Amino acid sequence: MTNLLVLQLLNGVQLGIILFLIAAGLTLVFGIMDVVNLAHGVLYMAGAYLMATFAAATGSFWWALLLVLPGAVVVGLLLEVVVIRRLYDRSHLDQVLATFGLVMMANETVKIIWGTSPLSVPMPDIFSGSVPLMGPLQYPVYRIAIIVAGLAVAGGLYLLVNHTRIGMLLRAGATNRAMVSALGVDIGKLFAIVFTLGAVLACFAGAIVAPILSVDTGMGESVLILTFVVVVIGGIGSIKGAFLGAVLVAVVDTLGGVFGPILLRSVLDASAAGQAGRTLAPMLVYILMAAILFAKPTGLFGGRG
Amino acid sequence: MSDVTTAPRAAPRAPAMAMRVKVALILFALFAVLPPVAVALGDPFMVLIATRILAYAIAAMALDLILGFGAMVSFGHAAYLGFGTYAVAILSSYGVNDLLLQMLGAVVVSAAFALVTGAISLRTRGVYFIMITLAFGQMAFFFFISLSAYGGDDGYGLSSRSTIFGSDVLENDMTLYYVTLGFLIALFAACHRIVGSRFGRVLTGIRENRERMEAVGFPPFRYQLTAFVISACITSLAGVLLANQAEFVSPAFMSWHRSGELIVMVVFGGIGTLTGAIGGAVVALLLEEWLGALTHHWPLLFGLILVLMVLFSPRGITGLLERTGLWRARK
């Protein structure tokens, strides 16, 4: 039981790290640019597909990862310049519609280029084994590597946001956009940087999970809604909130799926518990979100309504 | 969030509204003569497609009630469509086949869900509101996916359509079409009354200037929540009709794509007009059919049209028509 708990907790943290990488960009785009971007999940998907393509072309995980990053910059900048830039001073409704259109286009484009069958990405050799944790418990090295890489990026992001000039502008922008603009900062350039940064983070997340997932067209959407929940829970514009929210959501989601039925079995008979558990588990994160919003409508670390 | 509204302001409203009712009446007349025309053309299958369009028109109109008149961008409205469809599936499996009883069931469940999730969502505004309604919509979606007794992800085929007072007249596609049209007309009249009533004016007032309405003594939360629940209930009626049209229910009716499509329909026709939502549903679904016949990669084209429309004609098709002088709703 403890073994299972530790195992699932680690899986939860690993999912949380991925969610954080995606949510960090999303929360900045919402917080600083006030743009609803439904197409953010598309960037995560693009990262995974680029990874699969580059890995197949170069035969090396590392070269592929190295190539994904400039690819992500190109995709992010292109999207910003062609569409997102025109949406800054539009209503949320327009933003929803345009980015919804982008999602439809992106999913279909992926189907045209890569087909509908899922792709897989080979794991790098040095990360392919498992390590013993405690007692008989083994855990895949690659998942640990994801956690470490994610924490490193989170640390880097923390330094960037809190200890650099550009980070200062980001924080200022999230608090009061008009004032930053009035003080002579080129807000257009700042927005492009923010959006591209978010795109790179999401692509990176997609690239590093590609070896443990099957890469397919639906992957961006399942994760998009979860990152929305993360951003709402954490508070729009807050990276710290995104981190805590991501881990919270992922751990609740993972543990709920496994332990929900087990806990219910103590009060219900086995088949009813199994059914109720399967029904309730996917709803847990939304119930969590509702509870948090009920107490704090702007999320855990959100300043603005 | 008055920035959402592009609808005409209050002052020149009355003539524009009369005009819209006139256009709606013309639309209804066209709908009414469609089945005989379809039969004459030797294409009775058209009636079934048209029934689907009418059902979606009801849902789009319901969404317009809160989106256009209340500036609440709900991205979870497909959930209510789903409640309607599953009300048919679940109740009929317990032997309750009556259309009106199934509608009652759908409305009760939708009202309860809308009351709870609406109360939480309406504590927030703007981007938060959009994302939270989306999340609650997904919650309902996952609930029905895991409901294995009714097929889960695969859906559930209905053994028969609903009955009306014990008679199975709806098995006839033509009857189903006219019943759906009847509901559309009745619900349009109801929505039109709501919008023109004191309640509707307060709702529009909150859209235009929330603080002022609050200062005058109208608590926005209560009015918006009421509108949200009404809209949810009407949408669930569309779901009941849709289940009868498809004779099949599945969680696909409530995916977030469907919620997005409902918003697209409202915007296609120009928001805050009711008539526009009906026209928008017709245009959006016909466009889907047409593009789908053209290529099976139709979402690419549909998405492209959507992006271009937002970038170049923010006021929807009404806006396009106005620009060319074919339609003068603003007068």
Side-chain angles (χ1 to χ4, degrees):
Chain A
M1 190 77 174
T2 348
N3 282 352
L4 186 63
L5 182 69
V6 172
L7 199 69
Q8 293 302 331
L9 210 55
L10 277 172
N11 279 343
V13 171
Q14 182 256 304
L15 175 64
I17 292 290
I18 295 298
L19 282 183
F20 165 70
L21 289 177
I22 307 167
L26 197 63
T27 201
L28 283 178
V29 170
F30 281 141
I32 297 176
M33 289 135 76
D34 199 27
V35 169
V36 189
N37 181 18
L38 297 174
H40 203 72
V42 163
L43 296 166
Y44 165 76
M45 176 178 75
Y49 271 98
L50 287 178
M51 186 73 188
T53 310
F54 291 142
T58 61
S60 151
F61 174 88
W62 299 108
W63 276 113
L65 193 59
L66 210 63
L67 286 170
V68 165
L69 297 177
V73 173
V74 171
V75 173
L77 267 181
L78 203 68
L79 207 56
E80 205 272 344
V81 170
V82 176
V83 181
I84 306 289
R85 177 170 292 184
R86 295 162 207 270
L87 297 173
Y88 291 145
D89 50 1
R90 302 290 282 276
S91 69
H92 290 141
L93 184 60
D94 283 350
Q95 296 165 354
V96 163
L97 282 169
T99 54
F100 181 63
L102 285 178
V103 170
M104 293 181 91
M105 288 174 72
N107 282 346
E108 211 51 41
T109 311
V110 164
K111 275 183 202 158
I112 293 171
I113 300 178
W114 284 283
T116 44
S117 49
L119 306 177
S120 63
V121 174
M123 215 172 267
D125 284 336
I126 55 161
F127 288 149
S128 58
S130 299
V131 283
L133 277 183
M134 35 187 274
L137 193 63
Q138 301 264 324
Y139 200 72
V141 185
Y142 190 75
R143 286 180 186 262
I144 295 176
I146 289 182
I147 296 177
V148 172
L151 286 176
V153 172
L157 208 56
Y158 172 81
L159 289 178
L160 178 78
V161 170
N162 289 296
H163 296 282
T164 63
R165 186 178 162 76
I166 190 116
M168 193 178 70
L169 291 177
L170 291 186
R171 278 177 291 136
T175 315
N176 193 333
R177 184 167 38 146
M179 185 56 86
V180 173
S181 176
L183 289 173
V185 175
D186 183 348
I187 209 91
K189 209 197 281 174
L190 182 67
F191 283 3
I193 292 173
V194 170
F195 190 84
T196 311
L197 178 68
V200 170
L201 288 175
C203 281
F204 179 68
I208 61 172
V209 286
I212 54 171
L213 285 182
S214 64
V215 179
D216 63 27
T217 42
M219 66 185 287
E221 299 183 3
S222 50
V223 103
L224 174 78
I225 317 281
L226 274 186
T227 43
F228 273 10
V229 174
V230 166
V231 168
V232 166
I233 286 180
I236 288 176
S238 163
I239 301 239
K240 191 166 49 170
F243 186 78
L244 281 179
V247 174
L248 194 64
V249 163
V251 167
V252 165
D253 195 39
T254 313
L255 292 190
V258 179
F259 290 97
I262 295 177
L263 286 178
L264 283 170
R265 211 166 293 161
S266 55
V267 283
L268 294 167
D269 67 280
S271 70
Q275 173 60 41
R278 271 197 302 282
T279 313
L280 284 176
M283 295 170 69
L284 268 182
V285 287
Y286 302 105
I287 296 169
L288 173 78
M289 178 192 79
I292 288 179
L293 285 176
F294 195 73
K296 288 202 71 179
T298 53
L300 294 174
F301 294 95
R304 298 187 301 164
Chain B
M1 256 186 49
S2 56
D3 58 332
V4 163
T5 60
T6 44
R9 302 252 149 195
R13 177 138 254 177
M17 222 148 148
M19 173 73 186
R20 281 188 212 123
V21 173
K22 240 180 260 169
V23 174
L25 291 178
I26 295 171
L27 274 176
F28 295 149
L30 289 176
F31 289 146
V33 298
L34 183 124
V37 172
V39 171
L41 290 175
D43 192 5
F45 185 63
M46 219 154 90
V47 177
L48 214 52
I49 296 177
T51 311
R52 180 164 169 265
I53 292 178
L54 294 187
Y56 274 109
I58 295 175
M61 190 176 67
L63 181 60
D64 193 26
L65 196 62
I66 57 166
L67 199 157
F69 295 92
M72 290 175 262
V73 183
S74 166
F75 211 128
H77 249 51
Y80 304 107
L81 215 52
F83 291 151
T85 56
Y86 273 94
V88 177
I90 294 174
L91 286 175
S92 71
S93 78
Y94 286 100
V96 181
N97 284 316
D98 190 76
L99 183 75
L100 296 178
L101 283 179
Q102 289 172 343
M103 283 186 162
L104 184 69
V107 164
V108 168
V109 172
S110 298
F113 190 78
L115 201 62
V116 174
T117 62
I120 296 171
S121 313
L122 282 170
R123 285 164 66 85
T124 66
R125 265 180 267 168
V127 188
Y128 277 102
F129 184 82
I130 300 173
M131 287 197 284
I132 294 164
T133 47
L134 174 58
F136 281 129
Q138 281 306 102
M139 179 171 116
F141 174 71
F142 283 122
F143 176 82
F144 284 104
I145 284 227
S146 60
L147 205 63
S148 47
Y150 293 92
D153 209 0
D154 298 328
Y156 183 83
L158 300 176
S159 55
S160 64
R161 283 185 180 156
S162 309
T163 55
I164 297 179
F165 302 120
S167 127
D168 59 354
V169 283
L170 290 185
E171 293 298 334
N172 183 318
D173 288 346
M174 207 75 101
T175 319
L176 179 67
Y177 176 84
Y178 280 112
V179 168
T180 309
L181 179 59
F183 272 103
L184 174 64
I185 295 172
L187 290 168
F188 173 79
C191 286
H192 185 71
R193 283 293 291 274
I194 292 174
V195 168
S197 71
R198 179 173 174 277
F199 172 81
R201 280 161 193 276
V202 173
L203 201 62
T204 320
I206 294 166
R207 175 190 81 186
E208 296 294 331
N209 194 332
R210 189 187 173 88
E211 283 70 28
R212 194 180 292 173
M213 288 308 283
E214 207 164 358
V216 175
F218 296 103
F221 179 81
R222 216 178 295 162
Y223 282 89
Q224 288 187 315
L225 186 58
T226 310
F228 191 78
V229 172
I230 293 173
S231 167
C233 292
I234 298 178
T235 309
S236 75
L237 297 183
V240 171
L241 294 165
L242 209 54
N244 275 296
Q245 184 268 342
E247 296 180 72
F248 176 74
V249 303
S250 86
F253 280 114
M254 49 208 307
S255 80
W256 73 279
H257 279 269
R258 199 68 57 169
S259 298
E261 278 167 29
L262 286 178
I263 299 182
V264 170
M265 291 172 194
V266 174
V267 174
F268 261 7
I271 65 170
T273 56
L274 296 182
T275 310
I278 299 173
V282 175
V283 172
L285 291 170
L286 284 182
L287 191 63
E288 265 184 41
E289 292 275 341
W290 181 65
L291 290 177
L294 220 58
T295 160
H296 65 273
H297 293 302
W298 66 268
L300 181 64
L301 298 174
F302 196 86
L304 185 66
I305 291 173
L306 212 52
V307 174
L308 292 177
M309 193 193 76
V310 172
L311 293 184
F312 298 109
S313 174
R315 294 200 4 84
I317 290 167
T318 330
L320 269 183
L321 291 178
E322 266 173 33
R323 215 181 282 177
T324 54
L326 290 170
W327 169 290
R328 301 196 187 281
R330 303 198 76 160
K331 252 193 180 169

